[in-house]
Amino acid sequence: MFLEDVILPSDAAAEALISCSPVLEDLKICLSKDDSVVALRVCSPSLKSFALRRVEPFYARGRSVVIDAPKLEYLSLMDYYHFKRFEIISKAESFKVDIDVEFELMSDYLSETKIICNLVKNFSGVKDLTISWKTLEFIYIYPIPKLHDLTRLRAAMCLNASPKLLPIVLESCPNLKHLKLELVIDSPYAVSTRLSTVLPRCLLSSLESVEMETPVTEIATELSLARYFMKNSKKLKKLVLRLDESTGEQHKPCVLERLVKYSRRCKLSQFEVLPVVPTPSPWPGYVHVKSNRF
């Protein structure tokens, strides 16, 4: 079921529409500013995948979302932040979340903190989480509860903020095993801060693999992060970096050679460098050329 630009007359109508199918497994809702739903209840004994998106630039405050789906395995929240309540009553034991929401700063700090913390508490049992930079940056302002069950994390964060933010993120995931990082350039002129000397618990007890999903930039913060992981992760087995083949002499071979030697000294079982080339618009991204495995 895919609902786009939905105009629903009441809360009961929305709930009835969702629960009318006893075999519904995949539900996607793109909310409209014109609907009359105040409390969106997603109740389905068969639902496995649910995506909630906002399609309007402005949305009235005061909405609430309640999910009661004992078989729910995947939840995606995109650009949806105007709610006073968000609660997951039931879900599957194996639960994956993809969250890309931007919270609106309020004058009432306590109210905003409560909204964000209540949202995160619903993900306390999540084992696999993907989180965007615009969501993650609120950790600067609002401390979040620890995610003790999280073992896989894919996170995007600002390149220049990553040395300061990364230890905070890792500290919130004490049992993390697999980490993928997408580092985005917010301001190319900002100066990177040094990495914290206080080591998060997952570096000492659980982290096994780290993958940088974006190529090493000219300021080479990614290389500093790579050395940080190799030096401090006691159980690290796999580290993957990416180099942009179109940058010419920007990254000299000696830098890579030093990392290779360091990886052997740290006894990594897999240190891999993926040369990539940028793809043109309208689908910008990167294509792997050939893997260099050391």
Side-chain angles (χ1 to χ4, degrees), residues 25-224:
E25 293 186 354
D26 190 353
L27 173 64
K28 298 178 181 179
I29 299 179
C30 295
L31 290 168
S32 165
K33 65 180 178 64
D34 297 318
D35 73 82
S36 301
V37 176
V38 175
L40 178 62
R41 291 186 60 87
V42 179
C43 302
S44 173
S46 57
L47 190 65
K48 294 182 178 180
S49 175
F50 175 42
L52 180 61
R53 287 168 172 77
R54 184 198 62 172
V55 295
E56 302 288 348
F58 300 102
Y59 200 82
R61 284 190 175 276
R63 301 306 199 255
S64 68
V65 178
V66 178
I67 300 174
D68 186 2
K71 293 186 179 180
L72 188 66
E73 299 175 347
Y74 175 74
L75 173 66
S76 174
L77 296 177
M78 307 290 286
D79 292 328
Y80 186 81
Y81 53 86
H82 293 281
F83 52 83
K84 63 179 180 181
R85 178 191 176 200
F86 187 95
E87 183 179 0
I88 300 176
I89 297 176
S90 65
K91 54 179 175 49
E93 183 177 349
S94 177
F95 186 45
K96 181 178 180 180
V97 175
D98 187 345
I99 179 170
D100 182 13
V101 298
E102 183 176 356
F103 299 99
E104 183 177 4
L105 288 173
M106 300 167 59
S107 57
D108 188 346
Y109 176 86
L110 293 178
S111 296
E112 189 73 4
T113 302
K114 184 177 180 180
I115 289 174
I116 296 174
C117 288
N118 285 343
L119 173 65
V120 176
K121 284 179 181 178
N122 286 278
F123 307 142
S124 59
V126 172
K127 296 181 179 179
D128 192 329
L129 174 65
T130 298
I131 186 168
S132 71
W133 164 238
K134 65 183 180 182
T135 303
L136 194 60
E137 63 181 330
F138 276 84
I139 293 179
Y140 270 135
I141 309 171
Y142 307 102
I144 64 171
K146 291 188 185 298
L147 302 173
H148 290 280
D149 296 321
L150 189 67
T151 58
R152 291 184 176 272
L153 174 64
R154 182 177 182 269
M157 62 181 65
C158 174
L159 179 67
N160 299 298
S162 59
K164 181 178 179 181
L165 182 59
L166 182 61
I168 300 175
V169 174
L170 296 177
E171 185 61 32
S172 300
C173 313
N175 298 306
L176 189 67
K177 291 185 177 180
H178 307 282
L179 174 65
K180 290 186 177 182
L181 282 176
E182 179 185 356
L183 299 173
V184 297
I185 299 178
D186 189 12
S187 172
Y189 304 105
V191 178
S192 297
T193 57
R194 290 187 177 183
L195 283 156
S196 171
T197 56
V198 178
L199 298 181
R201 174 179 157 185
C202 66
L203 291 183
L204 302 174
S205 61
S206 61
L207 192 63
E208 296 179 0
S209 70
V210 176
E211 181 174 349
M212 303 286 184
E213 293 196 320
T214 42
V216 176
T217 55
E218 187 174 1
I219 59 177
T221 301
E222 301 84 353
L223 300 180
S224 297

